PDB file of all heavy atoms in Angstrom:
ATOM      1  N   SER A 134     104.087 101.268 116.978  1.00 98.00           N
ATOM      2  CA  SER A 134     104.200 100.132 116.067  1.00 98.00           C
ATOM      3  C   SER A 134     105.053  99.060 116.739  1.00 98.00           C
ATOM      4  O   SER A 134     106.172  99.341 117.171  1.00 98.00           O
ATOM      5  CB  SER A 134     104.852 100.588 114.755  1.00 98.00           C
ATOM      6  OG  SER A 134     104.900  99.542 113.827  1.00 98.00           O
ATOM      7  N   ILE A 135     104.493  97.865 116.860  1.00 98.00           N
ATOM      8  CA  ILE A 135     105.247  96.737 117.418  1.00 98.00           C
ATOM      9  C   ILE A 135     105.440  95.699 116.321  1.00 98.00           C
ATOM     10  O   ILE A 135     104.469  95.222 115.725  1.00 98.00           O
ATOM     11  CB  ILE A 135     104.541  96.126 118.640  1.00 98.00           C
ATOM     12  CG1 ILE A 135     104.570  97.125 119.807  1.00 98.00           C
ATOM     13  CG2 ILE A 135     105.201  94.805 119.048  1.00 98.00           C
ATOM     14  CD1 ILE A 135     103.908  96.634 121.074  1.00 98.00           C
ATOM     15  N   ALA A 136     106.703  95.396 116.055  1.00 98.00           N
ATOM     16  CA  ALA A 136     107.048  94.408 115.028  1.00 98.00           C
ATOM     17  C   ALA A 136     107.487  93.123 115.699  1.00 98.00           C
ATOM     18  O   ALA A 136     108.425  93.130 116.509  1.00 98.00           O
ATOM     19  CB  ALA A 136     108.161  94.944 114.131  1.00 98.00           C
ATOM     20  N   GLY A 137     106.797  92.032 115.391  1.00 97.00           N
ATOM     21  CA  GLY A 137     107.158  90.714 115.907  1.00 97.00           C
ATOM     22  C   GLY A 137     107.781  89.883 114.803  1.00 97.00           C
ATOM     23  O   GLY A 137     107.240  89.807 113.700  1.00 97.00           O
ATOM     24  N   ILE A 138     108.909  89.262 115.109  1.00 97.00           N
ATOM     25  CA  ILE A 138     109.696  88.594 114.062  1.00 97.00           C
ATOM     26  C   ILE A 138     110.151  87.224 114.551  1.00 97.00           C
ATOM     27  O   ILE A 138     110.619  87.074 115.689  1.00 97.00           O
ATOM     28  CB  ILE A 138     110.924  89.457 113.698  1.00 97.00           C
ATOM     29  CG1 ILE A 138     110.452  90.768 113.048  1.00 97.00           C
ATOM     30  CG2 ILE A 138     111.861  88.722 112.749  1.00 97.00           C
ATOM     31  CD1 ILE A 138     111.180  91.974 113.481  1.00 97.00           C
ATOM     32  N   GLY A 139     110.016  86.230 113.687  1.00 95.00           N
ATOM     33  CA  GLY A 139     110.586  84.914 113.938  1.00 95.00           C
ATOM     34  C   GLY A 139     111.503  84.545 112.787  1.00 95.00           C
ATOM     35  O   GLY A 139     111.067  84.534 111.635  1.00 95.00           O
ATOM     36  N   ILE A 140     112.773  84.288 113.081  1.00 97.00           N
ATOM     37  CA  ILE A 140     113.740  83.915 112.039  1.00 97.00           C
ATOM     38  C   ILE A 140     114.311  82.548 112.392  1.00 97.00           C
ATOM     39  O   ILE A 140     114.813  82.329 113.498  1.00 97.00           O
ATOM     40  CB  ILE A 140     114.891  84.926 111.920  1.00 97.00           C
ATOM     41  CG1 ILE A 140     114.357  86.354 111.777  1.00 97.00           C
ATOM     42  CG2 ILE A 140     115.774  84.579 110.718  1.00 97.00           C
ATOM     43  CD1 ILE A 140     115.437  87.426 111.769  1.00 97.00           C
ATOM     44  N   ASN A 141     114.238  81.634 111.453  1.00 96.00           N
ATOM     45  CA  ASN A 141     114.795  80.293 111.644  1.00 96.00           C
ATOM     46  C   ASN A 141     116.315  80.375 111.490  1.00 96.00           C
ATOM     47  O   ASN A 141     116.819  80.594 110.385  1.00 96.00           O
ATOM     48  CB  ASN A 141     114.218  79.317 110.619  1.00 96.00           C
ATOM     49  CG  ASN A 141     112.716  79.169 110.742  1.00 96.00           C
ATOM     50  OD1 ASN A 141     112.173  79.220 111.844  1.00 96.00           O
ATOM     51  ND2 ASN A 141     112.038  78.989 109.622  1.00 96.00           N
ATOM     52  N   ILE A 142     117.020  80.175 112.588  1.00 97.00           N
ATOM     53  CA  ILE A 142     118.482  80.316 112.553  1.00 97.00           C
ATOM     54  C   ILE A 142     119.182  78.961 112.641  1.00 97.00           C
ATOM     55  O   ILE A 142     119.799  78.505 111.693  1.00 97.00           O
ATOM     56  CB  ILE A 142     118.975  81.240 113.695  1.00 97.00           C
ATOM     57  CG1 ILE A 142     118.284  82.610 113.630  1.00 97.00           C
ATOM     58  CG2 ILE A 142     120.503  81.395 113.620  1.00 97.00           C
ATOM     59  CD1 ILE A 142     118.720  83.522 112.526  1.00 97.00           C
ATOM     60  N   ASN A 143     119.083  78.306 113.805  1.00 96.00           N
ATOM     61  CA  ASN A 143     119.882  77.092 114.054  1.00 96.00           C
ATOM     62  C   ASN A 143     119.063  75.805 114.094  1.00 96.00           C
ATOM     63  O   ASN A 143     119.612  74.744 114.423  1.00 96.00           O
ATOM     64  CB  ASN A 143     120.642  77.241 115.375  1.00 96.00           C
ATOM     65  CG  ASN A 143     121.709  78.326 115.302  1.00 96.00           C
ATOM     66  OD1 ASN A 143     122.350  78.512 114.267  1.00 96.00           O
ATOM     67  ND2 ASN A 143     121.896  79.062 116.387  1.00 96.00           N
ATOM     68  N   GLN A 144     117.786  75.854 113.771  1.00 95.00           N
ATOM     69  CA  GLN A 144     116.954  74.646 113.836  1.00 95.00           C
ATOM     70  C   GLN A 144     117.366  73.667 112.733  1.00 95.00           C
ATOM     71  O   GLN A 144     117.531  74.052 111.567  1.00 95.00           O
ATOM     72  CB  GLN A 144     115.468  75.016 113.705  1.00 95.00           C
ATOM     73  CG  GLN A 144     114.543  73.854 114.005  1.00 95.00           C
ATOM     74  CD  GLN A 144     113.204  74.305 114.574  1.00 95.00           C
ATOM     75  OE1 GLN A 144     113.114  75.349 115.216  1.00 95.00           O
ATOM     76  NE2 GLN A 144     112.175  73.517 114.353  1.00 95.00           N
ATOM     77  N   GLU A 145     117.512  72.396 113.113  1.00 93.00           N
ATOM     78  CA  GLU A 145     118.002  71.394 112.150  1.00 93.00           C
ATOM     79  C   GLU A 145     116.879  70.694 111.405  1.00 93.00           C
ATOM     80  O   GLU A 145     117.062  70.254 110.275  1.00 93.00           O
ATOM     81  CB  GLU A 145     118.885  70.375 112.878  1.00 93.00           C
ATOM     82  CG  GLU A 145     120.144  71.019 113.458  1.00 93.00           C
ATOM     83  CD  GLU A 145     121.037  70.034 114.189  1.00 93.00           C
ATOM     84  OE1 GLU A 145     120.912  68.817 113.936  1.00 93.00           O
ATOM     85  OE2 GLU A 145     121.864  70.486 115.008  1.00 93.00           O
TER      86      GLU A 145
END
Side-chain angles (χ1 to χ4, degrees):
S134 184
I135 292 180
I138 294 139
I140 308 175
N141 298 325
I142 304 287
N143 293 324
Q144 190 150 332
E145 296 180 20

